[in-house]
Amino acid sequence: MKEQQKKNTEEILEMANHLKWDLGMGIHDKIVSSLYADAAQIARKTVSMDGDKPAFSLERKVDKVVTSRLLGFPIMFILLAVVFWVTISGANYPSGLLASLLVDTLHPILKNAADGVMPWWLSGVLVDGAYLAMAWVISVMLPPMAIFFPLFTLLEDLGYLPRVAFNMDSLFRKAGAHGKQALTMSMGFGCNAAGVIAARVIDSPRERLIAIITNNFSLCNGRWPTQILIATIFIGGMVSPFWAGIVSTGAVVGIAVLGIAFSLVVSWGLSKSVLKGEASTFSLELPPYRPPRIWQTLYTSLIDRTLFVLWRAVVFAIPAGIVIWLVSNITIDGVSLAEYFIDWSNPFAVVFGLNGVILLAYIIAIPANEIVIPTILMLTVLVTGMSGIGEGSGVMFELDSITSTEQILRAGGWTLLTGINLMLFSLLHNPCSTTIYTIYKETKSVKWTVVATLLPIVLGFMVCFFTAQLWYLFT
Amino acid sequence: MSNQPNCENCPVHHKSNLVRLGIDMDKVDYVVALAGNPNTGKSTVFNNLTGLRQHTGNWPGKTVGRAEGAFSYENDRYKIVDLPGTYSLLSTSTDEEVARNFILFGRPDVTVIVADATRLERNLNLVLQILEITDRAILCLNLMDEAKRNHVEIDVRALSRELGIPVIPTSARKREGMPELVAMISDVASGKYVCKPHRQRNHTPQLRHAIGTLAKKLTDQYPGLPNADWVALRLIEGDQSIVEALQNGILEDLVENTTPMAV
């Protein structure tokens, strides 16, 4: 019976093959064109256009401008800058408000209540560690995300993203990567984990891996606050107050563009070495511009993106907060673990224009990039032994004014070089643990997960080393 | 006389009959596939029917893999599968294979083809290809609001006559036309509305003969094979995934699965 079936199958296939040869070459094309002819005929019978289609021609004109060789990229950067500027300036006030509520008001109340019922170390771990980490992440992350995600979703709804992909396509193709990587890269500006998942739109496994590995070069939402704060203090501080805002926004956009450049260069390097291959072609439709539905966009981007990402950050920040409290409060011979590490790693870090505090902060903050700055400030206060600022050892805090943040950092021996290198290092370091986990889930490969984790941090140390040596050469 | 408002008595009033079930897909009576070109609003239609919130966005290729949800309407439960958007079912990208295999091997009770009314001609290429595979389809002519804005007019009844399937004009983003779509899904699924889908006619005589010969061989081998002509054409074209389906016996399963349903 089985044999018989197999024989029949072979017969059918042979017959099909035979017929194919009889019909000659180009049969596929003939079938497709007759299909298209049918479609055209039906469309002709049923569709009528009224007048000379004013909306279409306007759309075409807009497309000519936003995807033009000359203006395409400048428009992209300006839009990017406007989105950041709105995010930066709009997030400041609600962030301060949330901080004063969650940190200044609620924290002492909780602390007093906890001290009454539990031993000092437990209330330290829970209230000064876990609660404060969570409170900081919410007040630092929620406002910028609540502004950035809806703005980004509006651009997406409007139909601008495919134009970005269109502009970037030839660059990515030259780098041996897939043009759709421009889309996943844009998603990465919101959240790298989301960008890694979005890489599913790329069919070829080779190009998908490239997109996943390089996604970390898109500055994610958790890293924007670091960039903005450091740019304001060290780069905006170099020029007159009038220019400070523009110069520091420029510096942040510059870092973002540098990230895009790294994304392209690393894609090129990968596709010429371990992930060799040609870029596959794909068709990208420029969809019509559609008026975005403002309220629906606000709702869905708040519920689906903002709260989702925030929840993830909170979940990861709580254990990190506990660790920070512990390393600052567990002491050997009167010196805390944190101080041991900082003193030990400082000589090494200085070679890269960084310092031990930054390294420790990045290790502690692996779960969530957003807690880097609070951790750095807390650790700096701890080692410089400043008094009267902050809330005591192991308590994460962020200062109300940028000026007092600057005082702390300068007292910790920070220079313009430290600032620049922190910005560079913030761009080029390992992905956060959520992203690492997502990469593993998407690639199902330990090897590629390790590559995606270590590659950026190695690059980061190289770039920081280079700028530091240049700096030492000229100063 | 009647103290109910007239709307409630009218059969067109379906609002109360549609129950969005989200991902509760137990004991479904019918399976509905949602196919169409990229960026025509499939996910918006999907969200409207199921009450789920699949991410929607104005860029092609956003739905990855396939999403599933459910709704119930007039005591019947429907499972709805949102397929990735494709321009055709001819070549073999992963997306196209997922979509085609589901329509062919998943044997949905109804295939709703979502089309962009502002770009009907190009969308029809896919519609015609789907109609070659399945008998029970509905054209959901979406983005009618955009079409109106762009001064595009479509003769919906003539289109339905040409295609041989029901055509429902909708603006899914504004939820316009959704009740009519749901009612039509129910009619086609239950067999109340019988489709006579457009099939390609202008093949050359040689090709028609070749298809006929091979299709006969196929039906001899697998009596009750649905759309034998289409399978024959794909085999003549040397479609590798259909060849494999034949070799692995998947095509056979198709026959076995459909026969009991026909009885």
Side-chain angles (χ1 to χ4, degrees):
Chain A
M1 189 63 196
K2 261 254 150 68
E3 285 297 303
Q4 180 63 31
Q5 270 180 359
K6 207 165 174 196
K7 195 164 148 266
N8 285 335
T9 307
E10 289 307 317
E11 259 178 47
I12 290 174
L13 288 178
E14 201 171 307
M15 189 174 185
N17 211 4
H18 210 74
L19 289 166
K20 184 181 174 184
W21 281 108
D22 279 356
L23 290 161
M25 297 284 279
I27 180 73
H28 178 80
D29 290 347
K30 265 184 217 157
I31 293 168
V32 173
S33 52
S34 96
L35 186 90
Y36 279 34
D38 266 22
Q41 196 195 1
I42 295 175
R44 223 174 13 251
K45 277 190 202 165
T46 54
V47 181
S48 60
M49 304 231 190
D50 175 31
D52 47 1
K53 311 178 285 177
F56 276 144
S57 56
L58 175 70
E59 227 165 56
R60 213 160 289 165
K61 270 180 203 149
V62 172
D63 268 344
K64 276 234 171 83
V65 176
V66 297
T67 62
S68 81
R69 260 161 212 266
L70 203 65
L71 292 172
F73 281 99
I75 289 177
M76 229 166 74
F77 295 139
I78 288 168
L79 269 176
L80 201 68
V82 168
V83 167
F84 294 150
W85 184 78
V86 171
T87 307
I88 292 166
S89 51
N92 227 339
Y93 178 70
S95 267
L97 212 66
L98 276 174
S100 82
L101 178 74
L102 292 176
V103 181
D104 299 345
T105 314
L106 219 54
H107 176 248
I109 295 173
L110 279 174
K111 183 74 182 160
N112 281 336
D115 278 342
V117 290
M118 50 180 83
W120 70 273
W121 57 269
L122 191 60
S123 97
V125 165
L126 291 182
V127 180
D128 293 337
Y131 169 78
L132 262 191
M134 188 194 74
W136 276 126
V137 166
I138 290 178
S139 50
V140 174
M141 272 186 87
L142 181 59
M145 279 202 312
I147 299 171
F148 181 81
F149 278 140
L151 283 178
F152 193 79
T153 315
L154 281 179
L155 278 182
E156 187 182 339
D157 248 23
L158 182 71
Y160 184 66
L161 280 196
R163 273 86 188 171
V164 171
F166 183 86
N167 285 338
M168 305 283 298
D169 170 53
S170 66
L171 287 179
F172 276 106
R173 220 182 24 235
K174 274 180 204 144
H178 199 285
K180 278 189 198 166
Q181 198 175 317
L183 288 174
T184 64
M185 189 193 75
S186 313
M187 294 292 291
F189 282 128
C191 168
N192 292 137
V196 167
I197 293 176
R200 287 180 190 170
V201 298
I202 298 171
D203 279 332
S204 133
R206 180 189 78 87
E207 289 159 347
R208 198 173 145 207
L209 262 179
I210 294 179
I212 288 176
I213 293 170
T214 56
N215 196 270
N216 190 45
F217 296 124
S218 297
L219 268 186
C220 73
N221 216 50
R223 294 184 264 171
W224 292 116
T226 312
Q227 297 290 345
I228 291 157
L229 189 74
I230 300 299
T232 315
I233 292 174
F234 289 100
I235 296 181
M238 291 192 312
V239 293
S240 69
F242 178 76
W243 290 104
I246 294 166
V247 169
S248 40
T249 302
V252 177
V253 172
I255 290 282
V257 171
L258 188 70
I260 297 176
F262 265 103
S263 185
L264 285 166
V265 170
V266 172
S267 297
W268 179 81
L270 287 171
S271 71
K272 288 285 173 286
S273 56
V274 277
L275 290 167
K276 224 176 230 150
E278 290 298 306
S280 56
T281 53
F282 75 110
S283 56
L284 177 77
E285 183 181 358
L286 291 185
Y289 292 102
R290 285 172 192 154
R293 299 143 298 165
I294 310 273
W295 293 113
Q296 203 166 335
T297 302
L298 281 179
Y299 176 80
T300 49
S301 65
L302 271 179
I303 301 294
D304 293 349
R305 286 190 176 172
T306 311
L307 290 185
F308 175 78
V309 176
L310 185 71
W311 173 242
R312 178 190 68 82
V314 167
V315 165
F316 280 104
I318 290 173
I322 294 174
V323 170
I324 292 171
W325 189 87
L326 289 176
V327 295
S328 328
N329 284 275
I330 298 178
T331 54
I332 304 170
D333 300 335
V335 181
S336 70
L337 290 179
E339 280 171 279
Y340 269 115
F341 179 87
I342 291 166
D343 289 342
W344 170 78
S345 64
N346 227 355
F348 168 77
V350 167
V351 177
F352 298 98
L354 300 167
N355 59 39
V357 171
I358 297 176
L359 292 188
L360 181 57
Y362 269 99
I363 292 172
I364 293 173
I366 285 177
N369 283 302
E370 347 351 84
I371 56 177
V372 164
I373 283 289
T375 311
I376 285 177
L377 293 176
M378 184 273 291
L379 291 170
T380 307
V381 171
L382 190 73
V383 276
T384 50
M386 289 169 117
S387 57
I389 300 177
E391 318 207 356
S393 58
V395 182
M396 273 208 287
F397 64 93
E398 204 162 82
L399 295 136
D400 299 335
S401 74
I402 286 173
T403 337
S404 49
T405 309
E406 187 178 354
Q407 278 169 8
I408 292 183
L409 292 179
R410 297 242 186 242
W414 285 52
T415 59
L416 178 60
L417 172 71
T418 327
I420 291 174
N421 274 5
L422 176 59
M423 286 175 79
L424 288 169
F425 194 69
S426 158
L427 173 71
L428 302 167
H429 70 91
N430 56 287
C432 71
S433 54
T434 315
T435 307
I436 296 175
Y437 177 62
T438 311
I439 292 172
Y440 176 70
K441 269 206 312 199
E442 292 294 310
T443 59
K444 295 263 181 295
S445 147
V446 176
K447 181 181 134 200
W448 289 116
T449 310
V450 170
V451 169
T453 308
L454 295 185
L455 185 86
I457 196 161
V458 169
L459 269 175
F461 278 121
M462 277 162 54
V463 170
C464 287
F465 178 77
F466 185 69
T467 44
Q469 296 311 313
L470 271 184
W471 177 272
Y472 294 141
L473 206 64
F474 287 108
T475 51
Chain B
M1 296 271 281
S2 159
N3 32 5
Q4 266 187 317
N6 274 333
C7 280
E8 303 287 329
N9 301 325
C10 170
V12 182
H13 184 88
H14 294 295
K15 222 172 185 173
S16 52
N17 294 333
L18 173 67
V19 182
R20 298 184 172 111
L21 298 173
I23 52 165
D24 173 17
M25 290 177 285
D26 288 345
K27 292 185 235 136
V28 289
D29 298 295
Y30 299 111
V31 176
V32 180
L34 212 53
N37 279 24
N39 210 36
T40 50
K42 284 181 299 303
S43 299
T44 312
V45 172
F46 177 86
N47 290 349
N48 263 337
L49 292 175
T50 58
L52 291 173
R53 286 195 317 263
Q54 255 238 316
H55 177 63
T56 58
N58 190 7
W59 51 284
K62 159 204 71 49
T63 302
V64 183
R66 57 180 217 223
E68 302 185 349
F71 67 91
S72 98
Y73 175 77
E74 287 184 338
N75 305 323
D76 284 326
R77 293 168 71 93
Y78 296 80
K79 179 167 115 174
I80 180 155
V81 181
D82 188 11
L83 298 172
T86 57
Y87 293 104
S88 85
L89 300 178
L90 295 171
S91 63
T92 43
S93 73
T94 321
D95 283 356
E96 294 186 2
E97 215 157 291
V98 169
R100 187 178 74 182
N101 286 357
F102 188 79
I103 299 171
L104 184 63
F105 302 122
R107 305 274 303 143
D109 295 288
V110 185
T111 303
V112 174
I113 312 165
V114 183
D116 179 348
T118 62
R119 281 149 174 74
L120 185 61
E121 180 177 332
R122 200 187 51 205
N123 280 246
L124 281 177
N125 293 329
L126 178 71
V127 174
L128 292 180
Q129 286 172 44
I130 293 174
L131 292 186
E132 297 284 326
I133 307 180
T134 177
D135 282 339
R136 287 188 284 186
I138 298 171
L139 180 64
C140 168
L141 198 54
N142 197 23
L143 300 168
M144 285 303 277
D145 47 344
E146 289 289 311
K148 200 169 269 172
R149 203 166 60 84
N150 289 315
H151 305 280
V152 176
E153 263 180 55
I154 296 171
D155 185 342
V156 173
R157 292 174 74 178
L159 185 61
S160 167
R161 211 163 46 231
E162 288 288 329
L163 294 174
I165 57 168
V167 177
I168 309 289
T170 62
S171 304
R173 302 205 308 171
K174 300 176 182 165
R175 308 201 163 185
E176 285 167 17
M178 286 297 126
E180 290 81 0
L181 180 66
V182 175
M184 192 48 86
I185 290 174
S186 148
D187 281 358
V188 174
S190 62
K192 222 196 257 172
Y193 186 112
V194 181
C195 302
K196 296 186 192 66
H198 173 282
R199 293 279 151 90
Q200 240 174 317
R201 315 161 268 220
N202 42 10
H203 289 316
T204 59
Q206 297 110 296
L207 182 56
R208 220 175 310 152
H209 176 73
I211 293 173
T213 324
L214 193 59
K216 184 163 180 310
K217 180 93 185 160
L218 278 166
T219 36
D220 282 352
Q221 178 67 26
Y222 307 111
L225 176 75
N227 42 54
D229 280 3
W230 184 82
V231 175
L233 182 62
R234 302 311 303 160
L235 286 175
I236 291 172
E237 277 201 66
D239 188 318
Q240 207 49 44
S241 60
I242 301 294
V243 171
E244 270 162 32
L246 194 66
Q247 282 166 338
N248 304 338
I250 301 174
L251 216 58
E252 243 171 302
D253 294 346
L254 201 58
V255 182
E256 273 157 25
N257 284 340
T258 47
T259 334
M261 270 163 84
V263 171

